[in-house]
Amino acid sequence: MRRILSRLFVVPAIALAVLLLAPAPSANAHGETAQEAFLRMGTVSFWDVKFSATEVEQGEQLKVTGTAKILETWPEQLGEPELGFIGVVAPGPVVIIKERKINGAPAPHAIEVHKGGVYNFEITIAGRRPGRWHVHPIFGIHGAGSLLGPGQYIEVKESGKAFTNPVKLASGQVVDLEKVGMGDVAFWAVVWLVVGLVWLLYWIVPKRTVARLPVTSQIPLNTDGMEYGLITKRDHKAMNVIMAVTLVLLAGGWIYQARAYPEKMPQQVLRFEPEPVAMTPSFVQAKATEVRYDDATHTVTMIVDVKNTGTRPATLQGFTTTTLTFPTAGVAEPVDGRSMTVSPSPTVAPGQATKLTLTISDHVWREERLIPIGESRMQITGVLRFKDDAGAENFVTVQSFITSLSA
Amino acid sequence: MATTYTTTDARPPDSRTEALRALLNRRYRFLDRKWDIVFWATAVFVVAAAADITKLLFAGDWDFWTDWKDRQWWPIITPFAVIIIPSALQYIQWLAWRMPTGATYTALCLAVASWIGRIVQWDWFAGFPLNFVWPVSIIAAAIWLDWVLLKTKSMVLTSLIGGFGFALILWFANYITLAPFLQPMEWMGLPMTVADVQGIEYVRAQTPEYLRMIEHGSLRTFLGETQYVSLAFGGTLAVAGYWIGQAIARGLAIWPIGRYIKKF
């Protein structure tokens, strides 16, 4: 019996020890596939996301550029989008953000946003910690949550010298953002630690502790027990001195900071509404009427009614949903090996109204948990990109419920 | 060890006083200094954990980042969060040993725990620079709290005078270390503080800037002197926090032990 019991404890204990001691693999995902597919597809769409480099040295900069749109299909249950924040997600401060522009304007903080808003972002980041890091752009909407854009591995190489982050203060002084103010923080941490220790050790070193309980348990709470020797006048005097020293240190510290850092201001909250991007006048209308999904072949088939209202032929360039883009085969280069076929033809003549069949066969629908089977709203949403022969582009949001789960 | 004691009046002590004096100086065979060391040393971990968890639970981000240490919410939230456990320990140590040490002891435990956490978790593991994630120090404020208890010998007065002063001293002591981070600079041509720039540059994964709860301005501000209103409100909340600590000490720490002992 003892043997069985000991095994019952020993085996899980060994398993736990192995689990705890085994080296953990680094996390390269940021929970993007955990969100419901229909919400990922129907809220924010990213396109043309580019990283200017995939390998930088510590301190060396690269740009993350692209476009994010809050889709017109933003679901009502998430509330109206009013405040958003475009940033980057990485495993902590492995990179630092040196600049951020939204629609061409500096945007250090959150911006005022709205449904249908298109935001061109340009984020300059610099390598900080050596390693291979997965970096995404991210669009957070206040009250709803954050949506990730397409990610990219960035290799930050060791520069061979200690990383510094020099910034210029308004006074003209250049400081290292990695270390500025740390001297003051450390100094005062030690000062207060010493003063606190003096206070504490005064009581606990010369005086007995536990042996006082038989006396304190017999006297009222609102007395210092001076008549029994629990607290003496000498104790009072000593504590007065330490309290006075504390107040003097506070006053001294206050005078020091006022002299050392005369120019100060409160933390800032810089919010604004970015100027809308110049959009090409609409020359195409599109409406998804039917979506089918075949699980056996991982194929999404979408029927779209398209009307060219412009004066030039318009060609369907591709379909974008969440972080994925499927360029039209034969029209644009595949992205990460992905493409879609369009029949009868991706080009729509001026004035022509037609029905296009978009076919996308890709394991990514399953891998990215993008088919909302089992979710409360089985709906596919994305952006169709049309281009006329003069180079003008239209981005049209389409959405449809999945009408069949087989081809 | 001889104990020096002084009576408050010149009259000869009565027999009960004499008995208690003798009891204080009595030598116990098993209740020696080793138990004192055991108490003070083992309590460090429990007290540090309790204080740190309470702080993280209530003050969280205001204590993590310099760009959250603002003049409106920081002086309100932090004193409330960090006075609870010092108050509890103050009651316990005053009741049991008659030592005005509970708040300072907690503050020292918290300082050690916070710094270990910031260095190991935030700097070494997560990679944030320490000058962005330094914790507040509550030691000066805790000394004040213990001193007020020593002088007043009253938990009620300590809560009112000590609690309010605790919030003020906490802010004064930590504003000294915050000052370098409030220096103005420009980021992409826009004026902001060093702390703001730290908040922008050092990526906080999946923490959009709009989650930062700091002073945003209000039509109800008092001639722009937000910090004084916040300090007054923070002081009041600290008084309330003090009594939460008292409730924890009296209800959860002392009362169950008393019940347990009575059974024997």
Side-chain angles (χ1 to χ4, degrees), chain B residues 27-233:
Chain B
R27 292 287 178 267
Y28 298 94
R29 190 172 171 195
F30 296 109
L31 211 60
D32 58 9
R33 292 291 276 170
K34 282 199 285 288
W35 286 106
D36 293 351
I37 295 166
V38 166
F39 165 75
W40 290 107
T42 53
V44 165
F45 302 98
V46 181
V47 173
D52 204 26
I53 289 167
T54 312
K55 183 176 71 165
L56 299 182
L57 199 63
F58 290 110
D61 287 282
W62 283 280
D63 192 51
F64 293 155
W65 323 102
T66 53
D67 64 330
W68 277 69
K69 291 179 167 67
D70 73 324
R71 62 182 184 179
Q72 182 172 329
W73 292 104
W74 187 45
I76 294 174
I77 306 288
T78 315
F80 171 80
V82 297
I83 201 174
I84 294 173
I85 303 301
S87 163
L89 263 291
Q90 200 178 49
Y91 176 80
I92 292 167
Q93 292 186 5
W94 181 261
L95 178 78
W97 329 127
R98 202 58 95 243
M99 287 183 179
T101 49
T104 308
Y105 177 71
T106 311
L108 288 167
C109 294
L110 178 64
V112 173
S114 298
W115 275 105
I116 289 172
R118 299 306 156 96
I119 291 168
V120 175
Q121 297 167 345
W122 293 87
D123 186 15
W124 295 354
F125 183 69
F128 285 100
L130 267 179
N131 68 341
F132 182 36
V133 295
W134 52 270
V136 296
S137 172
I138 69 164
I139 295 171
I143 287 173
W144 162 262
L145 205 62
D146 279 338
W147 185 78
V148 172
L149 176 63
L150 176 69
K151 292 294 151 188
T152 63
K153 303 180 273 291
S154 159
M155 296 291 168
V156 173
L157 290 175
T158 304
S159 74
L160 296 172
I161 304 165
F164 202 90
F166 181 90
L168 297 183
I169 291 176
L170 182 69
W171 186 75
F172 271 90
N174 287 281
Y175 187 85
I176 296 166
T177 43
L178 182 66
F181 303 95
L182 298 180
Q183 295 180 95
M185 61 176 287
E186 278 188 14
W187 199 81
M188 291 191 78
L190 298 166
M192 52 185 68
T193 64
V194 170
D196 289 316
V197 175
Q198 286 181 306
I200 295 164
E201 294 206 356
Y202 295 106
V203 174
R204 287 177 283 210
Q206 306 244 20
T207 308
E209 183 276 332
Y210 53 67
L211 293 179
R212 189 170 62 134
M213 281 172 66
I214 66 160
E215 178 194 2
H216 282 213
S218 162
L219 292 177
R220 292 187 294 276
T221 48
F222 294 77
L223 297 170
E225 301 296 354
T226 311
Q227 72 268 35
Y228 299 120
V229 182
S230 293
L231 282 171
F233 189 42

Side-chain angles (χ1 to χ4, degrees), chain A residues 30 83 85 88-90 92-93 95-101 106 108-110 128-129 138 140-142 145-146 165 167-170 177-182 184-185 188-189 192-193 195-197 199-200 203-216 218-224 226-232 236 239-240 243 246 250 253-254 257 261 263-271, chain B residues 1 4-6 8 16-17 20-21 23-28 31 33 35-36 40 66-67 69-71 91 94-101 104-105 108 111 115 124-131 134 137 139-140 143-144 146-147 150-151 153 169 171-173 175-177 179-185 187-188 190-194 196-198 200-203 205-206 208-210 212 214-216 250:
Chain A
H30 301 100
L83 196 60
F85 179 73
V88 294
V89 163
V95 294
I96 49 175
I97 296 176
K98 296 307 291 180
E99 277 191 1
R100 176 167 35 222
K101 284 183 189 170
H109 289 157
R128 182 168 177 265
R129 289 183 85 186
I138 188 168
I141 305 290
H142 193 212
S146 297
N165 186 9
V167 293
K168 194 175 178 183
L169 304 179
L177 202 58
E178 299 270 319
K179 293 194 174 111
V180 62
M182 197 55 215
D184 294 81
V185 173
W188 286 102
W192 294 129
L193 207 63
V195 178
L197 273 175
W199 178 286
L200 191 65
W203 289 96
I204 66 176
V205 171
K207 297 173 191 292
R208 295 195 297 173
T209 306
V210 181
R212 292 159 78 94
L213 189 59
V215 180
T216 57
Q218 296 184 51
I219 61 173
L221 189 67
N222 287 8
T223 169
D224 60 6
M226 191 176 278
E227 56 268 48
Y228 319 114
L230 282 166
I231 293 175
T232 65
H236 274 272
M239 294 306 105
N240 289 347
M243 188 67 243
T246 304
L250 281 171
W254 192 263
Q257 66 80 23
Y261 310 106
E263 297 292 324
K264 293 187 286 293
M265 64 181 203
Q267 285 93 336
Q268 301 295 297
V269 184
L270 303 168
R271 302 265 159 82
Chain B
M1 186 190 69
T4 309
Y5 50 80
T6 314
T8 48
R16 183 170 181 273
T17 306
L20 287 175
R21 278 182 189 173
L23 195 56
L24 184 68
N25 294 317
R26 184 178 163 186
R27 292 287 178 267
Y28 298 94
L31 211 60
R33 292 291 276 170
W35 286 106
D36 293 351
W40 290 107
T66 53
D67 64 330
K69 291 179 167 67
D70 73 324
R71 62 182 184 179
Y91 176 80
W94 181 261
L95 178 78
W97 329 127
R98 202 58 95 243
M99 287 183 179
T101 49
T104 308
Y105 177 71
L108 288 167
W115 275 105
W124 295 354
F125 183 69
F128 285 100
L130 267 179
N131 68 341
W134 52 270
S137 172
I139 295 171
I143 287 173
W144 162 262
D146 279 338
W147 185 78
L150 176 69
K151 292 294 151 188
K153 303 180 273 291
I169 291 176
W171 186 75
F172 271 90
Y175 187 85
I176 296 166
T177 43
F181 303 95
L182 298 180
Q183 295 180 95
M185 61 176 287
W187 199 81
M188 291 191 78
L190 298 166
M192 52 185 68
T193 64
V194 170
D196 289 316
V197 175
Q198 286 181 306
I200 295 164
E201 294 206 356
Y202 295 106
V203 174
Q206 306 244 20
E209 183 276 332
Y210 53 67
R212 189 170 62 134
I214 66 160
E215 178 194 2
H216 282 213
R250 293 164 194 238

Side-chain angles (χ1 to χ4, degrees), chain A residues 56-345:
Chain A
V56 288
E57 269 198 356
Q58 284 179 289
E60 200 181 338
Q61 296 186 353
L62 69 106
K63 280 187 196 301
V64 185
T65 54
T67 300
K69 181 180 182 182
I70 300 179
L71 299 178
E72 299 85 347
T73 51
W74 181 270
E76 83 294 337
Q77 72 269 27
L78 296 183
E80 197 67 17
E82 290 175 346
L83 196 60
F85 179 73
I86 299 178
V88 294
V89 163
V94 294
V95 294
I96 49 175
I97 296 176
K98 296 307 291 180
E99 277 191 1
R100 176 167 35 222
K101 284 183 189 170
I102 309 292
N103 293 352
H109 289 157
I111 52 170
E112 291 162 25
V113 296
H114 58 88
K115 205 188 274 189
V118 176
Y119 306 97
N120 293 329
F121 56 87
E122 182 186 315
I123 304 170
T124 306
I125 58 177
R128 182 168 177 265
R129 289 183 85 186
R132 186 168 180 262
W133 313 112
H134 205 216
V135 179
H136 291 263
I138 188 168
F139 201 154
I141 305 290
H142 193 212
S146 297
L147 277 304
L148 286 163
Q152 172 73 54
Y153 276 102
I154 304 291
E155 183 90 31
V156 178
K157 295 195 158 185
E158 205 154 357
S159 64
K161 52 190 176 189
F163 177 78
T164 58
N165 186 9
V167 293
K168 194 175 178 183
L169 304 179
S171 63
Q173 188 191 354
V174 176
V175 295
D176 181 5
L177 202 58
E178 299 270 319
K179 293 194 174 111
V180 62
M182 197 55 215
D184 294 81
V185 173
F187 173 79
W188 286 102
V190 172
V191 165
W192 294 129
L193 207 63
V194 170
V195 178
L197 273 175
V198 170
W199 178 286
L200 191 65
L201 294 178
Y202 176 89
W203 289 96
I204 66 176
V205 171
K207 297 173 191 292
R208 295 195 297 173
T209 306
V210 181
R212 292 159 78 94
L213 189 59
V215 180
T216 57
S217 60
Q218 296 184 51
I219 61 173
L221 189 67
N222 287 8
T223 169
D224 60 6
M226 191 176 278
E227 56 268 48
Y228 319 114
L230 282 166
I231 293 175
T232 65
K233 281 187 176 171
R234 186 170 165 269
D235 297 337
H236 274 272
K237 279 181 190 162
M239 294 306 105
N240 289 347
V241 169
I242 299 175
M243 188 67 243
V245 167
T246 304
L247 293 176
V248 167
L249 283 170
L250 281 171
W254 192 263
I255 293 165
Y256 160 75
Q257 66 80 23
R259 289 192 178 167
Y261 310 106
E263 297 292 324
K264 293 187 286 293
M265 64 181 203
Q267 285 93 336
Q268 301 295 297
V269 184
L270 303 168
R271 302 265 159 82
F272 72 103
E273 184 175 358
E275 289 288 322
V277 290
M279 299 295 286
T280 312
S282 169
F283 58 80
V284 69
Q285 293 171 354
K287 188 175 188 314
T289 56
E290 190 182 337
V291 171
R292 299 191 297 270
Y293 177 66
D294 181 9
D295 197 35
T297 59
H298 311 287
T299 302
V300 167
T301 308
M302 185 184 292
I303 313 294
V304 186
D305 287 341
V306 179
K307 186 177 183 187
N308 185 344
T309 57
T311 56
R312 295 171 175 277
T315 302
L316 178 57
Q317 301 288 313
F319 174 71
T320 295
T321 185
T322 66
T323 62
L324 304 171
T325 293
F326 301 93
T328 307
V331 173
E333 288 297 311
V335 173
D336 297 331
R338 295 189 189 104
S339 65
M340 69 171 179
T341 58
V342 179
S343 63
S345 165

Side-chain angles (χ1 to χ4, degrees), chain A residues 10-39:
Chain A
V10 168
V11 172
I14 292 170
L16 187 68
V18 169
L19 199 71
L20 291 174
L21 294 173
S26 61
N28 292 318
H30 301 100
E32 52 266 49
T33 60
Q35 291 167 315
E36 288 174 297
F38 79 94
L39 287 177

